[in-house]
Amino acid sequence: MPTPDALSEARTHLDDARAALRAMREHTASLEALAGDRLSGEYLKQALYRRMMALRDDPDTPLFFGRIDYRTDAGGDENENCWIGRLHVTREMGSEPMVYDWRAPVSLPFYRASRTEPMGVALRRRFGFQHGRITAHEDEQLAGAGDGDEPFGHSDILESEIERPRTGPMRDIVATIQPEQDLIVRAPLEQSVVVQGAPGTGKTAVGLHRAAYLLYAHRDQLSRSGVMVVGPNASFLSYIADVLPALGEIDAVQETLESLVTRSSGRPVAGDDPAPVAVLKGDPRMAEVLRRSVWESIVEPTETLVVPRGSAQWRIPAHRCAAVIDELRGRGVRYAAGREMLGQRLAHQVLLRMEASGESPDDRVQNAVARSRSVKAYVDAHWPALDPVKLVFRLVSDPEFLARHAAELLDADEQELIQLPRGRGVRTPRTAAAWRPSLADLVLIDEVADLLNRTPSLGHLIVDEAQDHSAMALRALGRRVSTGSLTVLGDLAQATTAYATTSWADSLRHLGKPESTVAELVAGFRVPRSVIEYAAGLLPSIAPSLAPPHSVRRSAGDFRIVAGETPALLDAVRTALEREGTVGLIVADDQVAAVTDALRAAGLGYAVMGADSGDFDQRLDLVPASLAKGLEFDQVILAEPSAIVAAEPDRVTGLRRLYVCLTRAVSGLQVVHAEPLPEELTRT
């Protein structure tokens, strides 16, 4: 039971901590960006701005959520109290912190200390809050526990925080991180990690908190090299956008694969590929096709290079020019860098001949020769400049060009499949400018761009829903962290693309991190027990090798199956809206229009996920099944499971899509159907 003295102490400490944080913010605001030059001044202004943003105080969010009391050597009742929260708060520089940042080493036992391994902690205290006010506390004695005790006791506060109704976008889980999650969050920066996580195990939150931890623990290094989070779509990024800022981190970049390759290519996604074409374009064999198409653009010299200079003409024989080209190719440089170096290498050959004739040329002469019309023309003829967009367009529009570079890699049928459609009534673009590339095309363009110029490396990259990326897409992501590390988040059972991975080992090879650690999370904290047990009935059909997930929540949750048509669906929506929290109505993509009309006719307000600007402003979100991945709602109504399955190109992919949709609920799930349920859900 909460004790008045403990609650009073905590409330006083919270008031004092808020005052101290306000003073820290006011002090930062009073600082001036005094620098010796304008560039340094702008840098200091940005640093002060980031510091101000990190010191924001949300009155509805507690500054601390727990406390650990360390045993001291003095013995008796004297303990060192450490209050654990989202930010480091202190009264003044050099004084004892009032609140320790959850990422600080001193905070680690709050998450990992147990009765069997107390880590020097005598007591762990959790606080319950409502609207930023402390309402309860819960103590767990860790010192002096018996050998037969369970390592971790049950926490009502922890459970209520996990089950607390959602409002709007995703929130942080800093108060509820579990020991197995904390091991991943605090893994070393140099260690790449794959998190195979079942629905509701918190893998996305773990990835985001890992980003926050790494930015805290390796601030200087990662402020230079950068941290990026790659999500599956823009709606997902909108959903997770507030998590890192709430933890005081505003420097991590959030992108999608589409936004990355759109930026690198300078072209938007304007077309779409049928599934067989997308699968082939995402095949790792395409990397070798592209490599050949780039490097086989180099032409073997057959003519002498003649460089006029003054009254003399300097000649470099073809075999000597060929040797220069071969030497550059053997150095492993990127194509564009080799092209830049070729002019200087040829000019150096000219200088050697000038010196042999008694002249004394210097570097200025070599640079002038390298820029001369004859050398530039020779370079253009034998190491031509390439444009990634034009090269990929030529591959998909010129059968002979593709055949030359795909020999023994793609058979005749595959080469025909990858070509742009032709025939009566089909408008085939004649130029790259008129071409409407697909996402898979942009990924190929990105590969070529990296063959020409090395892609800069980030310090750390977090890839969510990684199971849905093709091999070529994984290569695009991996090269953005070639000298850094990765956190890969996903679930093989939720793979819903035609080119999805079936093995993390394969994915890691394409990412360029084959030695990464794979951690599996199967304990579900978000999805109610009855829901996860129902959805797990699909696992034998979609991912038989995975361990079935289980819910750690004592509450079974609200779950029911309703047979009926549109009126039953609308009744289910009204029932969900009567309950607290967010509501998601998930339907097959081709049923969105019909359900929209029904909701409008019934006078029910809603937002269509992916179409409306404020996706999370309405209590009811109408969610196309293709956008449900990674989202969560307190109440979910899932309409016509069979239609969701049938919308995919094959049954296994359809069942995986259904598995995703079934596991979006935090508190309750209603399955409404007029058509028969998939037989995989009716097996006992």
Side-chain angles (χ1 to χ4, degrees):
M1 291 292 294
T3 62
D5 288 346
L7 285 178
S8 176
E9 177 192 21
R11 288 166 179 165
T12 300
H13 193 78
L14 178 59
D15 291 341
D16 291 345
R18 289 200 185 281
L21 180 63
R22 185 164 54 252
M24 291 171 65
R25 186 176 173 87
E26 290 171 353
H27 173 71
T28 303
S30 68
L31 298 176
E32 294 186 41
L34 300 177
D37 57 76
R38 182 177 179 181
L39 181 61
S40 298
E42 290 300 319
Y43 177 84
L44 288 175
K45 287 179 182 178
Q46 285 296 316
L48 289 173
Y49 169 76
R50 288 194 294 270
R51 179 63 175 162
M52 287 285 291
M53 294 295 289
L55 293 175
R56 289 179 301 176
D57 182 13
D58 181 354
D60 290 331
T61 302
L63 282 182
F64 57 82
F65 43 80
R67 194 183 88 180
I68 49 178
D69 295 357
Y70 280 96
R71 295 191 302 266
T72 65
D73 294 335
D77 296 328
E78 293 298 323
N79 291 324
E80 179 184 354
N81 302 332
C82 298
W83 304 77
I84 313 300
R86 289 169 173 78
L87 300 172
H88 177 93
V89 180
T90 185
R91 284 192 176 92
E92 56 188 34
M93 292 294 292
S95 66
E96 191 73 15
M98 299 186 68
V99 179
Y100 284 92
D101 193 299
W102 66 275
R103 297 164 289 187
V106 73
S107 303
L108 186 147
F110 180 79
Y111 298 103
R112 296 199 204 164
S114 67
R115 293 168 181 167
T116 53
E117 292 186 36
M119 302 176 71
V121 174
L123 178 142
R124 172 167 48 216
R125 175 171 290 172
R126 301 182 190 276
F127 295 102
F129 286 83
Q130 281 192 349
H131 307 297
R133 176 175 172 78
I134 299 175
T135 57
H137 76 83
E138 189 175 67
D139 290 349
E140 184 179 2
Q141 297 290 341
L142 301 180
D147 293 338
D149 290 342
E150 289 292 325
F152 298 96
H154 176 77
S155 169
D156 290 330
I157 286 179
L158 187 66
E159 185 172 51
S160 64
E161 172 63 20
I162 291 172
E163 296 182 0
R164 179 162 57 95
R166 272 67 180 154
T167 54
M170 184 180 187
R171 61 175 183 252
D172 67 74
I173 63 164
V174 67
T176 61
I177 295 173
Q178 298 300 291
E180 65 271 25
Q181 296 173 328
D182 191 63
L183 286 169
I184 299 169
V185 168
R186 297 177 194 261
L189 172 60
E190 63 274 10
Q191 179 180 340
S192 291
V193 181
V194 174
V195 182
Q196 160 60 44
T201 55
K203 57 183 176 295
T204 296
V206 166
L208 293 173
H209 287 67
R210 176 156 168 73
Y213 171 77
L214 292 176
L215 284 165
Y216 171 88
H218 305 276
R219 180 78 62 192
D220 291 342
Q221 179 180 348
L222 293 179
S223 65
R224 295 189 299 269
S225 56
V227 173
M228 180 182 291
V229 178
V230 176
N233 52 58
S235 293
F236 177 85
L237 292 184
S238 175
Y239 176 63
I240 68 170
D242 292 342
V243 174
L244 287 173
L247 297 173
E249 301 298 343
I250 62 172
D251 290 336
V253 178
Q254 298 185 2
E255 301 277 4
T256 63
L257 174 68
E258 180 177 335
S259 67
L260 284 175
V261 296
T262 294
R263 187 176 302 110
S264 70
S265 67
R267 297 288 295 271
V269 174
D272 194 18
D273 288 318
V277 178
V279 169
L280 183 55
K281 289 180 179 179
D283 192 290
R285 292 175 294 168
M286 290 302 300
E288 176 60 19
V289 173
L290 296 172
R291 190 198 67 79
R292 290 180 183 179
S293 66
V294 168
W295 287 101
E296 291 177 10
S297 300
I298 295 175
V299 178
E300 182 76 13
T302 58
E303 297 180 355
T304 298
L305 169 62
V306 180
V307 181
R309 185 163 179 82
S311 61
Q313 287 191 331
W314 303 98
R315 298 176 181 272
I316 311 298
H319 72 85
R320 186 62 252 168
C321 294
V324 171
I325 290 175
D326 290 343
E327 186 269 333
L328 284 175
R329 294 190 62 168
R331 293 187 59 176
V333 298
R334 290 299 198 265
Y335 182 92
R339 172 179 156 83
E340 288 294 320
M341 296 167 68
L342 179 57
Q344 287 290 335
R345 292 294 196 277
L346 294 175
H348 182 67
Q349 292 297 317
V350 173
L351 258 66
L352 291 177
R353 282 154 176 76
M354 294 173 70
E355 290 172 348
S357 69
E359 297 189 23
S360 301
D362 56 18
D363 290 345
R364 290 174 297 176
V365 175
Q366 178 170 322
N367 290 334
V369 172
R371 294 193 301 268
S372 66
R373 182 179 303 174
S374 55
V375 170
K376 291 171 66 175
Y378 202 88
V379 170
D380 288 341
H382 297 89
W383 199 305
L386 297 178
D387 178 271
V389 175
K390 292 179 179 178
L391 188 142
V392 174
F393 173 72
R394 189 177 178 190
L395 279 173
V396 299
S397 62
D398 185 339
E400 292 183 1
F401 184 72
L402 175 62
R404 185 159 67 250
H405 300 299
E408 300 181 356
L409 289 171
L410 306 180
D411 61 32
D413 290 340
E414 289 175 320
Q415 292 180 33
E416 183 178 356
L417 183 63
I418 210 171
Q419 290 288 298
L420 292 172
R422 288 179 173 79
R424 181 175 298 177
V426 178
R427 299 185 62 180
T428 303
R430 296 185 178 183
T431 66
W435 177 40
R436 297 173 59 82
S438 65
L439 176 59
D441 291 322
L442 295 189
V443 170
L444 298 181
I445 292 169
D446 189 79
E447 179 88 15
V448 174
D450 183 70
L451 289 167
L452 302 186
N453 296 284
R454 187 183 300 277
T455 303
S457 177
L458 295 158
H460 194 77
L461 179 67
I462 296 168
V463 183
D464 205 351
E465 305 298 350
Q467 75 280 348
D468 280 336
H469 289 304
S470 69
M472 293 302 293
L474 291 171
R475 287 174 60 88
L477 296 171
R479 59 177 156 264
R480 284 167 168 79
V481 68
S482 57
T483 61
S485 57
L486 277 162
T487 299
V488 179
L489 312 170
D491 181 7
L492 298 180
Q494 298 185 60
T496 53
T497 57
Y499 39 75
T501 188
T502 58
S503 162
W504 288 124
D506 290 343
S507 296
L508 288 170
R509 188 174 67 255
H510 299 313
L511 285 164
K513 307 291 182 183
E515 303 301 322
S516 301
T517 301
V518 179
E520 187 170 5
L521 299 177
V522 295
F525 303 95
R526 174 176 56 78
V527 184
R529 185 176 70 250
S530 58
V531 174
I532 198 64
E533 289 174 354
Y534 181 69
L538 298 174
L539 284 178
S541 301
I542 61 176
S545 64
L546 294 182
H550 64 273
S551 177
V552 300
R553 291 165 56 177
R554 294 185 298 178
S555 170
D558 297 323
F559 171 62
R560 65 185 185 124
I561 301 173
V562 180
E565 298 188 350
T566 300
L569 180 64
L570 295 174
D571 285 344
V573 170
R574 294 188 184 97
T575 298
L577 288 171
E578 291 172 357
R579 296 169 181 169
E580 191 177 3
T582 56
V583 180
L585 171 55
I586 303 177
V587 304
D589 288 33
D590 60 3
Q591 294 187 349
V592 169
V595 175
T596 295
D597 292 341
L599 292 173
R600 188 180 298 114
L604 294 170
Y606 64 93
V608 180
M609 187 69 66
D612 296 325
S613 57
D615 282 346
F616 301 99
D617 291 341
Q618 291 278 355
R619 278 206 61 210
L620 173 62
D621 282 296
L622 178 58
V623 185
S626 63
L627 296 181
K629 187 170 294 182
L631 306 179
E632 60 183 33
F633 302 91
D634 290 288
Q635 301 292 329
V636 169
I637 307 98
L638 190 144
E640 297 298 349
S642 293
I644 292 174
V645 174
E648 301 298 330
D650 60 83
R651 187 163 185 82
V652 171
T653 303
L655 291 172
R656 287 174 174 169
R657 179 76 70 189
L658 178 58
Y659 181 73
V660 171
C661 296
L662 287 170
T663 54
R664 300 305 94 200
V666 175
S667 299
L669 170 67
Q670 300 177 76
V671 177
V672 182
H673 68 101
E675 298 297 322
L677 293 171
E679 61 177 347
E680 291 83 357
L681 286 177
T682 60
R683 297 170 183 164
T684 57

